Amino acid sequence: MTNSRVLEATGLKKSFGDIHAVRGVSFHISVGETYGLLGPNGAGKTTSISMVSGLLQRDGGEVLLDGQSMTTTSLGPKQDIGLVPQDLAIYPDLTARENLRFFGHLYSMPKAELVKRVDEVLEVVGLADRANDRASEYSGGMKRRLNIGIGLLHRPKLLVLDEPTVGVDPQSRNAILESVEHLSSEGMAVLYTTHYMEEAERLCTRVGIIDQGEIKAEGTRRELVELVGQQDRIRITATGVQESALDELRRLSGVHSVSPSDGSLELLVADAGAVLPEAMRVLGSQHAGVSSVSVEEPDLEAVFLHLTGKALRD
């Protein structure tokens, strides 16, 4: 490719009878980027990634994977995808190591490479210490992590994760999220579908908010929040704050208002990360005694409500 885009999906459409499941969905994913499709169940997430992965014939649109056209019969591009579906695709009577070796043989991986890669993947998904236990003995979360490991085994250019944390315990969920963060930092392109707002905020470089088969908005968390027009809120508990300090705070770039009240200050700002260090500098220079600081940022739940008129989990 002439640019860093691993995946380009343009104008995807799919209907099932009278039901228009996907209506012109477009997005792209670059090297090292985790792109999130955030939306409720039934929004069109799984249908979209099934078309992207070449598992489902699309009614319209185009999918390019590393510059190659993807269809249901495209064997070459499919080899560059690691698909981790919602339903587990593992053999419970085999150990984690045996599962990985089996799928490695399906990928026609050379023996020496496969042996090395199995150990690497077991480390990435946190199953190295249980590698020789049968998958039937695993918790639901461990089975999910093994499922992800199978998708990673052949070093795909694009890893597709469809609701990978549904129904798992909090510890396993965090382990899965840590694995995804590691993969992104290593340069892998990741397509991640979820209806958990906090997962999208933690993992995704960019997010496409999808509802009723359409991308309602797309961008970084900050870009999406700016669509709603909400501001960050900084609360500072401090003593000895003089009027001159309040005036200086109000003059800081990005500060919209400063409201003192009973030993505390509330600042409405455009970007708390940029303003907070400057605000602390001002208070320090004015010898104010700061005892606590809290920051409240608008989240993707508020954006989704603004764009669709309903809560994400409805």
Side-chain angles (χ1 to χ4, degrees):
M1 295 183 68
T2 57
N3 57 39
S4 64
R5 290 187 180 181
V6 175
L7 174 71
E8 293 188 77
T10 308
L12 300 184
K13 296 180 182 179
K14 185 64 182 179
S15 296
F16 300 96
D18 295 332
I19 299 174
H20 301 293
V22 176
R23 312 167 183 239
V25 164
S26 300
F27 59 91
H28 68 269
I29 308 175
S30 297
V31 173
E33 182 177 35
T34 297
Y35 183 93
L37 278 178
L38 176 66
N41 293 328
K45 301 189 300 294
T46 297
T47 301
S48 294
I49 69 169
S50 295
M51 289 188 284
V52 164
S53 304
L55 297 180
L56 183 65
Q57 183 67 46
R58 55 189 181 269
D59 296 337
E62 183 181 35
V63 176
L64 296 177
L65 184 68
D66 203 24
Q68 300 181 73
S69 178
M70 169 68 82
T71 68
T72 54
T73 59
S74 301
L75 297 182
K78 285 183 180 180
Q79 294 176 347
D80 291 329
I81 290 182
L83 175 63
V84 182
Q86 289 187 37
D87 296 329
L88 294 172
I90 62 176
Y91 288 95
D93 291 335
L94 299 181
T95 67
R97 190 179 299 279
E98 289 168 342
N99 265 283
L100 290 168
R101 285 177 177 170
F102 172 79
F103 282 98
H105 289 309
L106 293 184
Y107 292 133
S108 299
M109 296 178 65
K111 183 177 179 180
E113 179 188 351
L114 178 57
V115 170
K116 179 182 178 183
R117 184 60 179 158
V118 165
D119 288 336
E120 291 174 349
V121 167
L122 288 168
E123 289 289 344
V124 169
V125 298
L127 292 175
D129 60 337
R130 299 288 301 274
N132 298 316
D133 293 344
R134 287 194 295 182
S136 60
E137 301 171 6
Y138 284 0
S139 67
M142 293 171 69
K143 291 176 182 176
R144 290 275 181 186
R145 284 148 60 190
L146 176 56
N147 215 32
I148 293 173
I150 292 169
L152 289 174
L153 191 59
H154 62 302
R155 291 189 173 90
K157 294 178 181 178
L158 174 68
L159 180 66
V160 180
L161 298 165
D162 191 12
E163 302 272 7
T165 65
V166 170
V168 305
D169 60 275
Q171 182 177 359
S172 289
R173 184 184 184 210
N174 188 61
I176 289 171
L177 299 182
E178 287 180 349
S179 295
V180 176
E181 288 174 324
H182 171 76
L183 295 171
S184 180
S185 69
E186 291 291 309
M188 183 171 288
V190 179
L191 173 55
Y192 192 99
T193 80
T194 183
H195 62 270
Y196 296 125
M197 172 270 297
E198 61 274 19
E199 291 185 2
E201 292 197 319
R202 173 175 171 177
L203 296 178
C204 299
T205 316
R206 289 183 301 118
V207 174
I209 292 180
I210 185 170
D211 188 44
Q212 297 181 334
E214 297 178 336
I215 299 286
K216 302 297 184 180
E218 180 189 73
T220 65
R221 190 198 71 83
R222 173 59 60 182
E223 289 169 344
L224 289 170
V225 164
E226 287 175 354
L227 291 175
V228 184
Q230 293 191 357
Q231 299 167 344
D232 295 347
R233 192 181 303 268
I234 301 174
R235 292 187 176 90
I236 302 174
T237 302
T239 58
V241 180
Q242 305 297 319
E243 190 65 34
S244 58
L246 297 178
D247 290 340
E248 191 170 348
L249 288 172
R250 293 186 178 105
R251 290 194 295 268
L252 291 177
S253 176
V255 173
H256 296 281
S257 68
V258 178
S259 304
S261 176
D262 298 326
S264 67
L265 304 173
E266 182 174 281
L267 287 70
L268 289 179
V269 303
D271 183 350
V275 171
L276 185 55
E278 287 300 301
M280 297 303 293
R281 179 190 60 77
V282 169
L283 292 173
S285 69
Q286 297 278 352
H287 306 294
V290 176
S291 57
S292 69
V293 176
S294 65
V295 176
E296 179 182 320
E297 298 179 334
D299 57 30
L300 294 178
E301 186 86 41
V303 178
F304 190 86
L305 181 62
H306 172 78
L307 294 171
T308 68
K310 57 188 178 185
L312 184 57
R313 306 286 172 85
D314 282 355

